Amino acid sequence: MGYLKNHLATVVTACFAVFLTGMYFYMPEALHQLLLVSTIVTWFLVVVCWLAQKSADWTKKYGEHSHNEHAHSHDEKKSSLN
């Protein structure tokens, strides 16, 4: 299934978001607005990565099953014609 159940992109992006969130409190006041915007965008990317991986996992779990049934029924039709 891969490293961290294929959530490696989510974990890396989340680590970067945590880093940016922590830097907000250490950086000067002049950079707070820039860090706030970049932190919000990065946390949004974490959510998007997580949802995309959940969608891919669901598709792989349920999508291949229906595809295999279709392929199997197609093989049966071909054998009945012979």
Side-chain angles (χ1 to χ4, degrees):
M1 181 160 238
Y3 296 114
L4 302 173
K5 296 186 179 178
N6 289 334
H7 285 281
L8 186 60
T10 306
V11 170
V12 170
T13 309
C15 289
F16 185 59
V18 167
F19 172 74
L20 286 177
T21 304
M23 290 306 292
Y24 177 83
F25 299 106
Y26 291 110
M27 296 305 268
E29 187 75 28
L31 295 176
H32 277 192
Q33 186 171 359
L34 176 68
L35 284 170
L36 183 65
V37 170
S38 60
T39 301
I40 291 170
V41 168
T42 309
W43 280 114
F44 175 75
L45 286 174
V46 169
V47 171
V48 168
C49 285
W50 183 77
L51 287 174
Q53 186 57 50
K54 285 295 184 184
S55 174
D57 291 344
W58 187 86
T59 303
K60 188 170 186 174
K61 182 177 181 182
Y62 295 108
E64 287 182 1
H65 180 66
S66 63
H67 177 70
N68 287 340
E69 285 180 4
H70 177 68
H72 187 270
S73 64
H74 184 66
D75 290 341
E76 287 177 6
K77 288 179 186 176
K78 286 171 58 176
S79 66
S80 65
L81 293 175
N82 291 333

